[in-house]
Structure formats: C-alpha cells, structure tokens
Amino acid sequence: MKHYWKKWLDRRIPLNEKVELSQRSIFILPSKIGFMFALLLILLMVTAINYQNSLIFALAFWLFSVALSAMIFSFRNLSGLVIKTSHPAFGFVGEHIEIPIRLKSNKRQHQGLEIAWLKEDLREVAIMANQEKEITIPFQLQKRGHLETPRLSLKSYYPFGLYKCWTWLSLKTPGVVFPKPIFSPFIAGEGEGNDTQSDISLSVGNDEFMGFRNYQVGDSLKHVAWKYLAKGKGLLSKEYDSQQLSMQWLDWHSLQNMSLESRLSHLCGWVLQAEQEGRAYGLRLPTITIQPGQGDQHRTHCLTQLALYS
C-alpha cells in the first residue's frame, strides 16, 4: 500500500526545483477541531428537528456556512504560493544543517504556515502579498553524495483550525554531503619519487605580505611578529606568498585493510587537518589526482571528490 501511495504521489507532485501550489498539489481534510465542530452541527440539527425551533435551525445553518467559508479560505491560504530551492547547502554526514528554501507570494498573503522535512522540527512562517522570503529548515545529513531530502511537508490550519490543509513537495535541493571525518595521524604515500613523502616544501607566489597566522613549531624566527608579542597579542608569524609551505600528499593507497567509507572518512579528516595546520596538500584517489594547493576553494574541491567517489 505504501509503495502505491508513493508512486501516486510522485506522479501527482513530481520532483522539481520550483513548485506553485494549486488544486493538484493541495490536500484538505477536517482537523480534530473540525470533526468536533461537525458533531456540534449534527447535535444542533437533531435538537432543532426534535423541538422544531427556528432559532436553532438558523444557528445550525449559520455555523454550517461558516464551516464552508473556512474551507475555502483554508485552500486559498496555500493556493498560489511558490516554493523553490535556494543556494547549495554543504555539510558532513551526521551533521544538522539549515537548508535554505525560498517562498514567494504572487497575489495574496499566506498565514500560519508550518513547514518541515518529515520528522524534523517545524518552522512557522507568514508571507505577505507580493513578498519573497528565504527561510532555513533544519535537516540531519544521512548519506554522502549529492544532497537528497525527503518530501517537504507544508501545512496550515488557518483561519479557524477547522481544516488541515497541506501538501508534500519533492524539491531538488542543491548541495553535497561530505563523508564523516575521522581524524588520525598522516600516513606518507607509497608512490615513487620525493613528492610522495609526507613532508616536502612547496613554493608559492612572490614576496608579498599576506597577513598573520598563529605561530607553529618550525616557523622561521625571522617571520615571528615580535612587535605583536611585545604588546601581549600572542605569538604570531608573518605569512608571505613566497614562503616554503609544508606539503602533504593524501593518498588513498596509504590506507590499507579499510572499507570504502572508512578510507573516505580518514581522507576527509586529513583534508581538514591539513587545512587547519596551514599545509599545502594534494589528494590521490584511484580515479583522480588533485594537485597540491590551499584555501577554501581547494578544500571544497577535495571534499566534493571524496563525497562523490564511487
């Protein structure tokens, strides 16, 4: 039964980057309060018929008209709302991240919206007419690779709580999930030549002052910022584009007798360690070699290759 329900839902609301809600993608049923309200109407009608009381008849019909109007307003509260994905999200397996979603109203305001990934914390939001708003929704990353999320639950009990109006959207959420890092000591690669040693030097750029960083054991004393030390600002080293940087090859083949996921996790940890320690590092995988480098862009490139490796 669950399989057929999923197939039907996939046909009715297919995977997309942008969805505008309409009668095809909106479901509505009475809420618990709505069922109690319906029971009240039945009791009023039975009483009115039993006692032939016109005032009770009038009250029952008036309440029934309120229920019909509430159903229309509940549907209109979701109808026309545009939901789309925003900028990519990145994180590591096991992390809770905030995934950005954009909501846009073309014609009317939308009140009392509750939005969440299934079994996750709700976000409450309201959108004014002709407004576009970006919100973030918490989600725990489960599997490395391209970011995949379950259906997005969007519901509302507006205006009187008599009806639950909801939808389940399947959105293409851009992003990459990196392997869960395991931090361990570096292991030298087992290739040929000096470039496979765990520590060699890498010369970058020309003599241009880049800034300061925390002093590390082995830094040249002539690069120590003695003036900052005298002022009590800590032990810092001057960094130049032409400095000789410690360089590390992160080699797949240096990790023996490990499962695929364990190797990727260790390599992920090494990438983060090398970046934190200010090393230049390169990555060797069976299908790709990334030349040594540094910086956020290089780190993201290495982590992405680890996340998408198969």
Side-chain angles (χ1 to χ4, degrees):
M1 184 66 181
K2 185 177 181 180
H3 174 70
Y4 291 109
W5 162 251
K6 183 179 182 301
K7 288 182 63 176
W8 178 83
L9 197 60
D10 289 340
R11 290 195 303 268
R12 191 172 183 87
I13 312 176
L15 180 67
N16 212 327
E17 295 178 354
K18 177 180 177 181
V19 177
E20 182 174 357
L21 300 183
S22 63
Q23 69 274 10
R24 183 175 179 82
S25 53
I26 297 175
F27 309 98
I28 185 169
L29 281 175
S31 64
K32 292 180 179 179
I33 297 176
F35 281 113
M36 293 177 63
F37 190 82
L39 179 61
L40 173 63
L41 289 180
I42 294 173
L43 291 176
L44 286 175
M45 288 299 298
V46 170
T47 303
I49 293 171
N50 187 46
Y51 290 99
Q52 292 295 307
N53 189 308
S54 58
L55 288 178
I56 299 179
F57 271 118
L59 177 61
F61 289 135
W62 178 74
L63 291 177
F64 181 71
S65 67
V66 169
L68 290 179
S69 299
M71 181 171 62
I72 295 172
F73 280 104
S74 294
F75 173 80
R76 283 171 56 86
N77 190 48
L78 291 189
S79 180
L81 181 65
V82 177
I83 301 97
K84 56 185 178 180
T85 53
S86 186
H87 56 82
F90 301 92
F92 299 91
V93 171
E95 276 189 338
H96 281 84
I97 66 170
E98 299 282 339
I99 299 180
I101 299 293
R102 299 196 70 84
L103 304 176
K104 183 179 180 182
S105 172
N106 292 325
K107 300 178 181 178
R108 62 181 73 91
Q109 62 181 4
H110 304 272
Q111 302 289 335
L113 304 177
E114 297 178 358
I115 185 168
W117 307 110
L118 296 182
K119 299 180 182 179
E120 295 290 334
D121 295 335
L122 289 175
R123 285 284 191 269
E124 295 184 2
V125 63
I127 307 294
M128 303 306 293
N130 301 314
Q131 181 188 20
E132 184 170 353
K133 179 184 291 188
E134 181 176 291
I135 64 171
T136 57
I137 310 172
F139 180 69
Q140 185 176 18
L141 303 176
Q142 302 288 344
K143 183 181 178 182
R144 70 174 177 88
H146 291 292
L147 178 59
E148 295 181 359
T149 54
R151 285 188 173 269
L152 184 68
S153 172
L154 175 63
K155 62 183 178 181
S156 171
Y157 295 92
Y158 179 87
F160 303 129
L162 299 179
Y163 298 93
K164 176 186 177 182
C165 194
W166 81 98
T167 185
W168 283 317
L169 304 177
S170 184
L171 293 177
K172 293 180 180 179
T173 47
V176 177
V177 183
F178 307 133
K180 184 176 181 179
I182 296 178
F183 298 98
S184 60
F186 292 114
I187 301 176
E190 297 180 355
E192 296 180 357
N194 294 331
D195 64 337
T196 60
Q197 300 300 317
S198 61
D199 279 313
I200 64 176
S201 61
L202 177 70
S203 179
V204 292
N206 48 30
D207 285 330
E208 183 180 351
F209 176 68
M210 297 174 61
F212 296 100
R213 59 175 173 81
N214 292 330
Y215 175 82
Q216 297 174 2
V217 177
D219 286 350
S220 173
L221 293 180
K222 69 179 182 179
H223 290 148
V224 174
W226 298 108
K227 291 183 179 180
Y228 279 79
L229 180 61
K231 294 178 181 179
K233 295 185 177 180
L235 191 57
L236 302 175
S237 291
K238 299 176 183 178
E239 194 167 20
Y240 297 89
D241 274 355
S242 61
Q243 274 187 259
Q244 296 294 313
L245 300 177
S246 175
M247 197 276 285
Q248 183 82 38
W249 274 110
L250 312 179
D251 196 336
W252 169 276
H253 298 289
S254 65
L255 296 166
Q256 302 295 333
N257 302 321
M258 291 187 182
S259 65
L260 170 65
E261 297 301 324
S262 182
R263 283 187 175 189
L264 294 174
S265 292
H266 278 83
L267 289 170
C268 180
W270 286 354
V271 168
L272 299 179
Q273 285 179 248
E275 190 69 39
Q276 185 178 13
E277 294 174 5
R279 296 170 180 259
Y281 56 93
L283 179 64
R284 283 198 182 106
L285 298 175
T287 57
I288 188 173
T289 298
I290 301 176
Q291 294 302 316
Q294 261 190 322
D296 292 340
Q297 186 175 359
H298 180 66
R299 178 190 60 194
T300 301
H301 180 46
C302 291
L303 293 177
T304 300
Q305 293 302 320
L306 293 175
L308 303 181
Y309 182 80
S310 59

